[in-house]
Amino acid sequence: MSVDPEIPEYLKPSIDTTVPHSARIWNYWLGGKDHYPVDREAGDQFAAVYPGIFDLARLSRYFLGRVIRHLAGEAGISQFLDVGTGLPTADNTHEVAQRVNPASRVVYVDNDPLILAHANALLVSDPQGTTAYIQADLHDPEAIIDEAAKTLDFDQPVALILMQVLGHVPNDNDDEQARSIIRRLMQALPSGSYLALNESVNTNELNAKATGLYNESGAVKYYLRDSEQIVRLFEGLELVEPGVVPIQDWRPDPNPFGDSPEVGVWGGIARKR
């Protein structure tokens, strides 16, 4: 039985539990407990059309873990800026990074006060590292950088993490809005920094149909892209092998349960020269 999360008193005026919220729905699909009846209803309606959404959420989380392990290990990155972090669940960015390098610094960014309240309460940093949380909007990159600079050293490489968040940015006008957000954020980061992202694509008919119904639910809309659009989000950066691919194909871990299903999500990482 699901337990509805308790809202801190000071946040109650700003939290609307009558409208489904993407982060809470995602938490539900991942098996978390930080969601409300309206979120579960929207999540179940989506899953009724596209049952693969549970695999999609799970594999996206596994992808994040592999990406952070690579960045903190092989790439030697010790600073992470995770924008659109969502509600805490298993293997959050700082937990994965600090297992590799306990001194890693991580800044989480979200525009939802409930998410940041849960993050502050639940995401405890390794004593050797630093974890900070800022309330800011993806559409205001300069504000994100200004606040993140209080924790991160922008004279040293930083990994920018954008996982399943750019889907909330309309993809019209040659995707200029999303590309501008990435460009403005990456311009503030020094050479040797990285961009890591994944996004759902429009190749799965059931996912596309479910997303259309989801966008009519009152939740913040999610816009599917094609794979070529995902690739173009990395323009000007040096892609890390194997490039931008379906996430289950990006440096997969050995899977004792067999091959992962195709879920219609593409992603990758790239380095700023």
Side-chain angles (χ1 to χ4, degrees):
M1 178 177 179
S2 299
V3 177
D4 295 338
E6 182 177 349
I7 303 175
E9 286 295 327
Y10 72 94
L11 285 176
K12 286 184 177 178
S14 59
I15 302 297
D16 187 350
T17 61
T18 66
V19 176
H21 189 281
S22 60
R24 300 194 307 253
I25 297 170
W26 191 261
N27 182 266
Y28 172 58
W29 287 333
L30 281 172
K33 59 183 179 60
D34 297 315
H35 39 75
Y36 298 93
V38 66
D39 307 308
R40 297 190 285 275
E41 181 180 355
D44 287 340
Q45 288 175 347
F46 195 110
V49 177
Y50 177 47
I53 189 60
F54 294 101
D55 285 328
L56 187 156
R58 175 177 54 85
L59 291 174
S60 291
R61 199 69 183 180
Y62 293 165
F63 173 74
L64 170 67
R66 297 196 304 278
V67 163
I68 300 302
R69 288 202 312 269
H70 169 80
L71 290 169
E74 185 177 336
I77 297 295
S78 61
Q79 301 190 107
F80 299 83
L81 180 58
D82 189 339
V83 181
T85 180
L87 285 157
T89 184
D91 277 349
N92 302 285
T93 295
H94 78 284
E95 293 170 325
V96 178
Q98 290 176 354
R99 280 201 295 267
V100 179
N101 177 4
S104 295
R105 302 179 185 181
V106 178
V107 172
Y108 291 106
V109 182
D110 210 286
N111 64 354
D112 186 320
L114 178 63
I115 289 174
L116 296 178
H118 280 268
N120 271 303
L122 299 175
L123 301 184
V124 180
S125 177
D126 187 288
Q128 298 180 54
T130 303
T131 304
Y133 320 92
I134 60 178
Q135 184 174 348
D137 193 281
L138 176 68
H139 296 85
D140 192 354
E142 289 73 25
I144 291 173
I145 294 298
D146 287 346
E147 286 297 312
K150 297 175 182 178
T151 301
L152 304 178
D153 178 1
F154 286 118
D155 290 327
Q156 300 297 321
V158 176
L160 172 63
I161 312 298
L162 298 170
M163 297 292 175
Q164 291 282 334
V165 64
L166 289 170
H168 294 299
V169 178
N171 59 359
D172 51 3
N173 297 321
D174 196 31
D175 229 0
E176 176 55 30
Q177 191 173 350
R179 293 163 67 191
S180 172
I181 289 170
I182 292 173
R183 190 163 53 243
R184 289 152 66 192
L185 286 168
M186 292 302 297
Q187 282 174 349
L189 307 183
S191 176
S193 293
Y194 285 82
L195 168 66
L197 66 80
N198 73 350
E199 286 297 328
S200 295
V201 294
N202 57 9
T203 54
N204 186 297
E205 291 184 8
L206 293 180
N207 189 13
K209 180 179 179 181
T211 300
L213 295 173
Y214 169 86
N215 288 344
E216 298 173 0
S217 70
V220 177
K221 291 184 177 181
Y222 193 92
Y223 301 89
L224 299 175
R225 290 170 165 80
D226 61 42
S227 58
E228 292 183 1
Q229 287 178 300
I230 307 300
V231 173
R232 286 200 298 271
L233 295 175
F234 290 92
E235 279 183 350
L237 303 173
E238 186 178 84
L239 285 168
V240 173
E241 290 294 333
V244 184
V245 296
I247 55 172
Q248 69 272 15
D249 297 332
W250 196 91
R251 302 193 178 201
D253 290 328
N255 185 353
F257 304 106
D259 294 336
S260 296
E262 168 59 58
V263 293
V265 181
W266 282 54
I269 69 174
R271 183 177 183 272
K272 181 177 179 179
R273 299 181 182 87

